[in-house]
Every structure is written in C-alpha cells, then in structure tokens.
Amino acid sequence: MKLLRYGPIGSERPAVLAVDRDGNEQAYDLSSLTPDITGEFLAADGIAAVRKGLETGSLPRADIGGERIGAPIARPSAIICVGMNYAAHAAESGSTPPDTPIIFLKTPNTLAGPDDDAFIPRGSTRTDWEVELGVVIGKRAGYLDSVEQAAEHIAGYLAANDLSERTFQLDDSGGQWSKGKCAPGFSPLGPWLVPAAEVEAENLRLRSWVNGEARQDSSTADMIFTPAFLVHHLSQYLTLEAGDLVLTGTPQGVALSGRYPYLTAGDVVEIEIEGLGRQRQVFSQA
C-alpha cells in the first residue's frame, strides 16, 4: 500500500492507494482514521490501522483524479540529511568515502509535493538535483541499542529530491552545508510513503533525468551506511521524533561532478526510485 496526501497546499487530505479485489489500484480516504499523515498517526500504529481498514473494507473510496499530490507526510519536526553516502558520489565530489556519517540539516519548510513547481534561488548559478531515499521515523528513537532495534523505528520510505545550491553550500557556508539546502521548495517528497515492511530498502534502483536526459542511475545497494545504521547512529546524538525524515544521500551523476550543467529556469527534473514513485519539477527563477 502507498500512503499519500492530496489537495491544495495547506489543505491536503490523507489517502491510501491499494489494490482492490478486482486487481485494480484504488485510492481510499483515510479521514476516518486521521486528519493527516503525521508523526502522531504513525506513532499510534496508524499503518496497521490502515491495513486493517483495507482488509475489512471499511475505508471509503477517494477520487484523487486531477488533484494535486502533496508531500506524503505532514511537516516533520526535523529533516536530517546524510552527505557522501555513496562512494562514487564522494569520488565525483573530490572526497574520499567517509568513515562516519556526515550530517547536515534542512528546514522543514522546504517540503514540497512531488510535482510542484520549483525555483532557482535568487543569486544562484549552481542549483543541483539529488535523487535520494527518504526514511520516515515511526516512533521516537533515542539512544537505540542496535541497528536491529533501529529498523523497528522506521515507518516507511519515500522518494526525495534533495535540491542543492552548491555555491551557498560549499563557498558561502563557513563549513556547514545547510545554507545551500534550505531554499523554498528544496525538498520535494513522494508521491507516496510505502511501509517499511513492503520495501527492500537496501536494493532499490534510483534514477534522475534533466530535460529527458539521464543523469543518475544507481542502487541503494551502493550505500556506505544503510538506513537502519543511520537511524541507530543518529539516535546516539539526537532524538528522532515520529514523522521526522532522514535523507540518506545521493548517488553519482549530479552537476557538481562537472559532467553536466547546473539547472536554469525552464529546466525539467525528474527522479524515480523503484517502488516509491516518480517526481517531476519544472524550474523557474525565484
């Protein structure tokens, strides 16, 4: 099943996509279970409640045709990001693979829907794309004892585009990357949140395109640090709340490599992760 939110910005409604008895994918309304897909809903075993509703047939159908699709989770309390988590991407960036996860933050107000319009920030000449696997936390995680325990705190996975402005990130940063990561709309998510039990997170194909031309094509099997390892590691330094988002890094094939031009107004970026859906952003100048 695939959890999603649809409707105008700020007025999204929760729904789930699931295969009906006739073998067709159908959307079902979740308003009887929750007003939104929030951390509180996930922590209260909301995914199990959705699954039960589908099994019993108690969820009404939803008509999402023609509707805007929003980020599949409501605003998290934190977006924690991992840098250089694919060896080939580290190499194209001129770095050696890290021995410990490199962490930076994005502000929660960067969230956008998977197909929302995107913007080149003012003064930007180096706006870049990054297809990434996103990990959504299902219950509070602090000082976890093991990687195995950490896996139990993952509610599900989603596709994300960790948009970046490289001059802000690397030249204007003073050593911290977040300046280049927090422009409005720089975290398109979705279209869906897929429960962890239905995702083989360490073996997913990730791809990106710019104006229809292939850019990234890799697999999460090439990650240096797995999602569960990252959740365990982060829990030793901070407390992750239900509904928080961890972005796990991007593979090679970004503009920072020097092989491709940076984004400009009019460009179209598409990303896709196997089983987690596809995004499309059209860029204009902020």
Side-chain angles (χ1 to χ4, degrees):
M1 65 182 184
K2 305 166 183 174
L3 300 177
L4 60 86
R5 300 166 66 245
Y6 69 100
I9 295 173
S11 300
E12 293 91 345
R13 291 167 284 175
V16 61
L17 287 173
V19 177
D20 63 19
R21 292 182 175 84
D22 297 323
N24 301 313
E25 191 169 67
Q26 171 65 45
Y28 297 91
D29 181 66
L30 297 181
S31 298
S32 62
L33 300 179
T34 182
D36 209 344
I37 301 175
T38 61
E40 292 79 9
F41 170 68
L42 296 172
D45 215 5
I47 288 176
V50 174
R51 188 169 286 113
K52 181 177 179 181
L54 290 171
E55 291 172 351
T56 61
S58 61
L59 299 176
R61 295 195 174 205
D63 183 6
I64 64 173
E67 293 276 4
R68 168 187 173 268
I69 302 300
I73 55 172
R75 182 187 289 199
S77 72
I79 304 175
I80 300 100
C81 308
V82 182
M84 305 297 181
N85 197 24
Y86 290 75
H89 175 56
E92 75 175 0
S93 304
S95 303
T96 57
D99 296 322
T100 190
I102 298 170
I103 304 301
F104 61 93
L105 302 177
K106 299 190 86 163
T107 52
N109 65 358
T110 59
L111 257 63
D115 301 319
D116 288 349
D117 290 339
F119 299 92
I120 307 294
R122 292 183 184 179
S124 170
T125 58
R126 298 170 69 194
T127 295
D128 210 344
W129 60 88
E130 294 188 12
V131 58
E132 301 203 11
L133 176 67
V135 177
V136 178
I137 303 301
K139 55 184 177 180
R140 179 177 288 182
Y143 293 120
L144 300 178
D145 293 329
S146 67
V147 172
E148 291 74 22
Q149 184 185 19
E152 299 172 1
H153 288 252
I154 297 175
Y157 299 93
L158 51 75
N161 192 351
D162 176 21
L163 293 170
S164 308
E165 210 299 328
R166 301 302 190 185
T167 298
F168 302 169
Q169 175 190 352
L170 301 173
D171 300 339
D172 301 345
S173 66
Q176 301 294 325
W177 290 358
S178 293
K179 278 185 182 177
K181 299 285 187 171
C182 294
F186 257 32
S187 300
L189 304 181
W192 317 303
L193 169 65
V194 180
E198 301 177 21
V199 179
E200 190 178 351
E202 296 175 30
N203 188 29
L204 298 174
R205 188 179 184 186
L206 310 88
R207 292 184 287 174
S208 66
W209 300 261
V210 176
N211 300 325
E213 297 180 358
R215 292 292 186 259
Q216 296 170 281
D217 190 348
S218 187
S219 168
T220 56
D222 291 330
M223 279 185 177
I224 299 168
F225 306 108
T226 67
F229 178 93
L230 291 170
V231 172
H232 173 258
H233 176 83
L234 288 168
S235 78
Q236 309 308 306
Y237 300 91
L238 53 87
T239 297
L240 294 161
E241 301 290 352
D244 283 354
L245 176 65
V246 179
L247 299 183
T248 58
T250 197
Q252 65 178 323
V254 296
L256 182 63
S257 68
R259 291 185 289 148
Y260 307 111
Y262 287 100
L263 299 174
T264 58
D267 284 343
V268 178
V269 174
E270 296 170 275
I271 70 160
E272 183 176 58
I273 300 181
E274 179 183 3
L276 302 181
R278 190 178 181 108
Q279 301 183 7
R280 183 180 186 272
Q281 292 100 37
V282 179
F283 283 77
S284 58
Q285 185 66 51

